[in-house]
Amino acid sequence: MRPAQIPSPDPWSLAASRALLERIGSELGAAGNWISFARYMELALYEPGLGYYASGARKLGAGGDFVTAPELSPLFGRTLARQIAQLLQPGDAVLEFGAGSGVLAETLLAEFENIEYKILEPSAELASRQKARLGNRVQWLDRLPERFHGVMLANEVLDAMPVHALAWTRNGVLERGVCANEGQLAWSERPADNAVLMAAKEIDIEIPPSGRYESELALVARAWMRSLGRFLERGAILVIDYGFPAREYFHPQRSMGTLACHYRHHVHHDPFYLPGLQDVTAHVDFSALARAATGAGLEVLGFANQAQFLVNCGITDLLAAENPADAKRYLPLAAAVQKLLSPSEMGELFKVLAVGKGVNDSLMGFSRGDRRGTL
């Protein structure tokens, strides 16, 4: 069933979604008609040739499904470059995860001369577009380097990492998986076990009067952060995404979780609608991410909302340097900065987490409004 107000896809896209549904159905058949939501999300987003990030459909910008901060304005990347410049030492590199359209890399490359820039992109289709845009100025990787010195960037990457969906009830913790029911994908629950149950028990959940509290566990994101701790010898990791510290993430009023889907700039909450054609996301639990980092030998260097971070790094100075008389250029820049900073837009919901190793200086992005104490 199509969620209200969402435009219908074209026949080619529908055929691609049906092919992915057949692939998911085949896996369900081999697994006793139940897979975890994390596995479903992996298939829906990353199945080669069919998943959302592995197909040829446009995802970013006005003609896609959502717009990221680097797409909004080059001032985002130029401001971020100021924080990166503070962290880089001679011989260091920048490694960007999931570089999307490549616009952030393009902006940063224009700010730094002779920087060694690397991209680790899981989507072959997006990597192809990045190569067309960036040429030979970037090295594309298919795995993490054995040793790394410099700055790692993850801008709107972790929200698309697979999550386990759970329900806390008075009778125990249930894992919300996926099944096929009368030819349609549907939720199916079973008692959580093993690592999922252990992780769930670490969270203090206040079960509401309804007797049920739903949320997500980002075990993949935690493992990702732990792996970075092994490879990063000196430098920092900057994670920019929408999310909360644990106290807010698992707030009693957020009892329906944070899962959201994006299709043609519409947001809805049906993850089974046209798999492969829509983005499926969950907010980031920054407390869990910070714990994974410290457990891997990294230090938390700062945590702030995006507005405070960008202001600390001088985005308003960059805007002030533009010529207001050039309305055609200035007005779009000012509107984009407003969206990046406004609490009702991206300024408060988006956060910046910095972790690292061997970094002695206090980071400019967290000179005011550092909230690491909330993690």
Side-chain angles (χ1 to χ4, degrees), residues 43-58:
L43 290 168
L45 297 181
Y46 302 107
E47 178 67 9
L50 297 173
Y52 178 76
Y53 286 105
S55 65
R58 184 174 181 184

Side-chain angles (χ1 to χ4, degrees), residues 7 13-14 17 34 52 88 99 176 185 206 211 214 230 273 275 296-297 302 307 341 352 364:
S13 298
L14 276 174
S17 182
W34 193 94
Y52 178 76
L88 290 177
R176 307 177 68 217
L185 295 177
E206 180 181 333
E214 296 177 1
R230 292 194 297 270
Y273 174 68
L341 300 183
V352 184
M364 67 170 63

Side-chain angles (χ1 to χ4, degrees), residues 44 53 75 93 104 107 190 196 228 258 287-288 306 357 365 371:
Y53 286 105
L75 295 186
L104 179 58
T107 303
R190 58 173 56 178
V196 173
L228 298 192
T258 72
S287 294
Q306 177 176 280
K357 188 181 296 182
R371 299 184 187 177

Side-chain angles (χ1 to χ4, degrees), residues 293-308:
T294 56
L298 300 169
E299 176 187 359
V300 176
L301 305 173
F303 177 62
N305 67 28
Q306 177 176 280
Q308 188 68 68

Side-chain angles (χ1 to χ4, degrees), residues 95 97 120 144-145 148 152-154 158 221-233 236-239 296 298 355 357:
L95 170 57
F97 296 94
L120 184 56
L144 281 167
F148 185 82
M152 296 180 174
L153 299 175
L158 275 76
R222 299 183 197 184
W224 173 83
M225 180 60 82
R226 287 193 294 268
S227 70
L228 298 192
R230 292 194 297 270
F231 292 100
L232 181 65
E233 293 191 337
I237 304 159
L238 298 175
V239 176
L298 300 169
V355 300
K357 188 181 296 182

Side-chain angles (χ1 to χ4, degrees), residues 105-321:
E106 186 175 53
T107 303
L108 294 176
L109 285 165
E111 293 293 306
F112 297 104
E113 290 186 10
N114 303 319
I115 185 69
E116 184 180 359
Y117 204 101
K118 305 172 186 289
I119 290 177
L120 184 56
E121 176 58 69
S123 167
E125 185 270 330
L126 284 175
S128 176
R129 297 190 183 199
Q130 293 158 15
K131 290 173 182 177
R133 181 172 203 154
L134 302 170
N136 59 9
R137 293 178 292 171
V138 170
Q139 178 187 0
W140 279 265
L141 308 178
D142 55 11
R143 64 177 63 87
L144 281 167
E146 293 184 4
R147 294 186 300 274
F148 185 82
H149 292 74
V151 178
M152 296 180 174
L153 299 175
N155 180 65
E156 290 196 53
V157 170
L158 275 76
D159 60 276
M161 288 187 178
V163 294
H164 290 267
L166 285 88
W168 284 259
T169 74
R170 293 192 177 94
N171 296 321
V173 180
L174 303 176
E175 180 164 8
R176 307 177 68 217
V178 180
C179 72
N181 183 12
E182 297 182 353
Q184 302 289 326
L185 295 177
W187 290 104
S188 176
E189 299 177 348
R190 58 173 56 178
D193 57 13
N194 301 326
V196 173
L197 181 60
M198 291 177 62
K201 286 183 174 179
E202 295 175 357
I203 304 168
D204 185 18
I205 295 294
E206 180 181 333
I207 298 177
S210 65
R212 182 182 179 87
Y213 186 99
E214 296 177 1
S215 194
E216 302 84 36
L217 287 180
L219 301 184
V220 173
R222 299 183 197 184
W224 173 83
M225 180 60 82
R226 287 193 294 268
S227 70
L228 298 192
R230 292 194 297 270
F231 292 100
L232 181 65
E233 293 191 337
R234 184 194 46 75
I237 304 159
L238 298 175
V239 176
I240 307 170
D241 224 313
Y242 47 88
F244 312 99
R247 186 178 299 178
E248 297 177 49
Y249 196 100
F250 298 104
H251 191 279
Q253 294 181 349
R254 196 165 282 110
S255 62
M256 297 303 292
T258 72
L259 287 175
C261 306
H262 302 262
Y263 181 73
R264 296 295 183 266
H265 297 277
H266 289 76
V267 180
H268 67 93
H269 301 282
D270 180 5
F272 307 132
Y273 174 68
L274 295 178
L277 302 189
Q278 65 173 0
D279 196 13
V280 182
T281 71
H283 286 46
V284 175
D285 176 358
F286 282 100
S287 294
L289 207 59
R291 286 196 304 272
T294 56
L298 300 169
E299 176 187 359
V300 176
L301 305 173
F303 177 62
N305 67 28
Q306 177 176 280
Q308 188 68 68
F309 176 84
L310 292 176
V311 169
N312 289 343
C313 291
I315 193 169
T316 52
D317 297 333
L318 290 175
L319 180 61

